[in-house]
Amino acid sequence: TAVAAFSATRDVWRSMGDARGEASALLDMGVAHQRMGNLADAQAAYEEALVLFEQMGDDNGKAKVLGNLAMLMKRRGAADQAESLLQQAADMFYTLGKEDYEADTLKVLAQVQLQRGGWMDALISYNRAISRQPNRTGKQKTIQFLTSMLMRILGIQLPVKR
């Protein structure tokens, strides 16, 4: 299975003393567990990967793990936790200049916010996501224009940096 392959890969990286390889294998193992519905095992793998990425100071790896943990929490119905994790991941991707990852994360964040009844927060997050995409479609440009106009009418200012 994929889990067995990633577990073996993790063991090889660990035996070589390569924390980055080990953390990446753990992240992949978490994804495989999550796809198979083994949510507790997925969470354990993600949390172990998170510790390694934090120890290495690898914010890119950390942000990816936070995003995957958020998806797991969303699947479990823990929207509060998912929202917090997604916001952290989006902020990290922004700092790293990873606009595509930031945009993808913000879109999921908007979905979670909308599910929780926070339609205005969802609108802001989605507008930010669209603004981070370099090759926006005509439809996305129109959506961004209309949501920006709505926010102006309501007196809501978008964050300047984003």
Side-chain angles (χ1 to χ4, degrees):
T1 67
V3 171
F6 292 128
S7 180
T9 302
R10 178 203 56 199
D11 293 342
V12 169
W13 289 121
R14 182 182 287 164
S15 70
M16 294 173 58
D18 187 327
R20 187 170 318 284
E22 183 181 353
S24 294
L26 283 162
L27 176 57
D28 292 337
M29 191 166 41
V31 170
H33 274 302
Q34 190 167 344
R35 287 186 179 158
M36 293 172 31
N38 305 330
L39 302 185
D41 292 333
Q43 184 170 349
Y46 290 147
E47 289 173 352
E48 197 173 338
L50 186 60
V51 168
L52 291 172
F53 282 126
E54 286 175 340
Q55 288 173 351
M56 290 182 289
D58 183 339
D59 286 342
N60 186 53
K62 182 179 174 182
K64 287 179 182 179
V65 173
L66 291 173
N68 281 295
L69 266 171
M71 296 305 292
L72 185 136
M73 293 303 159
K74 180 182 173 200
R75 187 169 173 185
R76 283 186 166 163
D80 288 349
Q81 289 176 293
E83 185 174 356
S84 174
L85 292 166
L86 286 163
Q87 189 60 63
Q88 289 176 60
D91 289 345
M92 292 179 85
F93 287 133
Y94 172 77
T95 301
L96 293 166
K98 303 260 183 176
E99 292 179 354
D100 51 342
Y101 286 111
E102 180 191 8
D104 290 343
T105 304
L106 287 168
K107 286 178 189 174
V108 177
L109 176 61
Q111 292 172 357
V112 171
Q113 290 167 328
L114 194 57
Q115 288 172 343
R116 297 185 63 225
W119 67 272
M120 189 54 68
D121 289 334
L123 203 70
I124 292 168
S125 293
Y126 191 72
N127 193 289
R128 282 176 46 205
I130 292 172
S131 73
R132 302 303 286 162
Q133 294 177 304
N135 300 317
R136 292 182 294 263
T137 65
K139 183 179 176 182
Q140 289 171 323
K141 289 177 184 177
T142 302
I143 290 170
Q144 184 180 19
F145 172 77
L146 292 173
T147 57
S148 294
M149 291 303 296
L150 175 63
M151 286 187 266
R152 282 188 198 145
I153 290 168
L154 296 174
I156 298 169
Q157 275 190 295
L158 287 174
V160 177
K161 288 182 176 180
R162 312 241 182 211

